[in-house]
Amino acid sequence: MIDLDPVIHAPVRLRIVSLLAAVEEAEFGFVRDAVGVSDSVLSKHGSALEAAGYVQLRKGYVGKRPRTWYRLTDLGRTAFRTYVSHLQEIVSTSGLTVLQPEATPPVGNPASGVP
Amino acid sequence: MIDLDPVIHAPVRLRIVSLLAAVEEAEFGFVRDAVGVSDSVLSKHGSALEAAGYVQLRKGYVGKRPRTWYRLTDLGRTAFRTYVSHLQEIVSTSGLTVLQPEATPPVGNPASGVP
DNA sequence: CTTTCCGCTTTCCGAGTCGTCAAGTACTTT
DNA sequence: AAAGTACTTGACGACTCGGAAAGCGGAAAG
């Protein structure tokens, strides 16, 4: 029996990962607002994803202010795709074809964010 | 922000509901084996789904032996479809579905810092 | 300097979830 | 009478969840 990666399955982390799958990197504050959680919640889930090796945290500065950027690792990207296909496998038992009705698109992320 | 119905989101219950969405009814034992859980786990999740009004339990006999059948209610069917569409909405932010094959716009990412 | 602010991180907490195991129920078969 | 079938229920420990609030290092303000 297929099991859904528990690291990704948590609603907040699913949102984070889905968001990050679309871009090169995203700022902490942007992710926090997009996902709709508090600082502490994002920080905790971010750490969980980092511990799993799914995201990478890059610390830097904007001017003199510290910033953190989140970025999906290759492992995280793979885990996400696997998760989605497992999800589809489960949901497809219902007869609904919902996620990913097309052949797997290239998610190699050629040019998403800003260089 | 859309939230994923927690009653359905639990992995075991997602499997149960997906399974039931495909059929009229299913026997307790069949669901238990298909989902891959113990009697007690299915019984508990079944009760949770019943309490939510998502499934209906029908008790009857096969010969002289008691049997229980699970059946999705209309409410459950609707909730499942809503859940799946929410899921798709979330996952589509990744660019993974056919709905949004387009490249995503740049996110708050000036990337001007030097670590 | 010293206080305040910023951008996270960490700790504490209570509430809820998860599955296993053991026991209970009600009826049937041996 | 004892054992089996088909669940149901309760107790249990091991989590996970998110909010509140305190912490922390540096920057800016006073």
Side-chain angles (χ1 to χ4, degrees):
Chain A
M1 136 159 143
I2 3 151
D3 70 350
L4 294 167
D5 187 334
V7 173
I8 296 183
H9 191 67
V12 172
R13 290 197 294 264
L14 177 57
R15 282 171 210 279
I16 295 171
V17 172
S18 291
L19 181 64
L20 294 179
V23 298
E24 269 294 306
E25 323 187 288
E27 280 184 10
F28 183 95
F30 177 81
V31 177
R32 178 199 57 213
D33 296 343
V35 173
V37 292
S38 63
D39 285 2
S40 80
V41 167
L42 177 58
S43 181
K44 276 188 266 189
H45 284 297
S47 299
L49 289 167
E50 192 189 16
Y54 292 175
V55 312
Q56 198 184 334
L57 277 63
R58 184 171 67 85
K59 269 133 193 323
Y61 288 85
V62 171
K64 296 292 187 88
R65 295 313 182 75
R67 281 295 148 93
T68 303
W69 288 270
Y70 280 27
R71 174 196 293 264
L72 253 201
T73 62
D74 288 347
L75 182 63
R77 212 168 282 278
T78 301
F80 177 62
R81 283 218 296 275
T82 301
Y83 172 82
V84 170
S85 81
H86 283 175
L87 213 48
Q88 181 170 29
E89 217 169 311
I90 290 169
V91 170
S92 70
T93 66
S94 71
L96 285 183
T97 323
V98 212
L99 303 164
Q100 236 174 277
E102 293 224 326
T104 324
V107 199
N109 196 20
S112 299
V114 173
Chain B
M1 133 159 148
I2 4 153
D3 70 350
L4 293 167
D5 187 334
V7 173
I8 296 183
H9 192 66
V12 174
R13 289 196 295 263
L14 177 56
R15 281 170 211 279
I16 295 171
V17 171
S18 292
L19 181 63
L20 294 179
V23 297
E24 269 292 307
E25 319 187 293
E27 277 186 9
F28 183 95
F30 177 80
V31 177
R32 177 199 58 213
D33 297 342
V35 173
V37 292
S38 64
D39 286 0
S40 80
V41 167
L42 177 59
S43 180
K44 277 188 252 194
H45 284 298
S47 299
L49 289 167
E50 192 190 15
Y54 291 175
V55 311
Q56 198 183 334
L57 277 63
R58 184 170 67 84
K59 269 135 192 325
Y61 287 85
V62 170
K64 296 291 186 90
R65 294 311 181 77
R67 282 292 150 92
T68 303
W69 287 269
Y70 280 28
R71 174 198 291 267
L72 254 201
T73 62
D74 288 347
L75 182 63
R77 209 167 283 278
T78 301
F80 176 62
R81 283 217 291 275
T82 301
Y83 172 82
V84 171
S85 81
H86 284 175
L87 213 50
Q88 182 169 29
E89 217 170 310
I90 291 170
V91 170
S92 71
T93 67
S94 71
L96 252 195
T97 70
V98 81
L99 296 177
Q100 299 226 303
E102 206 75 3
T104 43
V107 179
N109 183 18
S112 49
V114 179

